[in-house]
Amino acid sequence: MANHKSSVKRIRQTKTKTLHNKYYAKTMRNAVRKFRSTTDKEECVKQLPVIQKMLDKLAKRNIIHKNKAANIKSSLALHVNKLG
């Protein structure tokens, strides 16, 4: 158990932030999974900017790494191009 008031507070804050970050990371993973399972090109073209924006925001807030966001965006763009 923590010995200082500040460390107890830090533990509380970390728990809250972890829960918050997990929620947004999981939401992003579900959106990407749903996107990859879509076979309709028009729907994918509409959804691509929305998912890219989500990935950029998560990378900006350090919930996911910026290179991971770039890799996912690249693979999603490839998915759209293959649908032709």
Side-chain angles (χ1 to χ4, degrees):
M1 185 60 203
N3 292 323
H4 298 283
K5 274 187 171 181
S6 62
S7 59
V8 172
K9 181 178 178 181
R10 180 57 62 194
I11 290 168
R12 267 197 331 265
Q13 288 176 333
T14 303
K15 204 180 297 183
T16 305
K17 287 180 182 178
T18 301
L19 196 62
H20 178 266
N21 291 344
K22 274 185 181 178
Y23 169 77
Y24 284 104
K26 185 67 173 176
T27 303
M28 178 268 304
R29 282 197 303 272
N30 288 337
V32 169
R33 193 176 298 125
K34 184 178 176 187
F35 183 87
R36 285 187 176 137
S37 67
T38 305
T39 55
D40 182 26
K41 184 164 184 164
E42 289 180 19
E43 185 66 31
C44 281
V45 169
K46 276 200 297 189
Q47 286 297 316
L48 186 61
V50 175
I51 294 179
Q52 286 178 336
K53 184 177 178 182
M54 184 189 305
L55 288 164
D56 288 336
K57 278 186 180 179
L58 293 176
K60 183 176 82 174
R61 295 178 182 150
N62 290 322
I63 295 173
I64 62 173
H65 196 273
K66 65 177 182 166
N67 290 351
K68 180 182 178 78
N71 287 336
I72 293 172
K73 288 187 337 188
S74 173
S75 70
L76 295 180
L78 283 173
H79 173 72
V80 171
N81 289 334
K82 284 183 183 177
L83 287 176

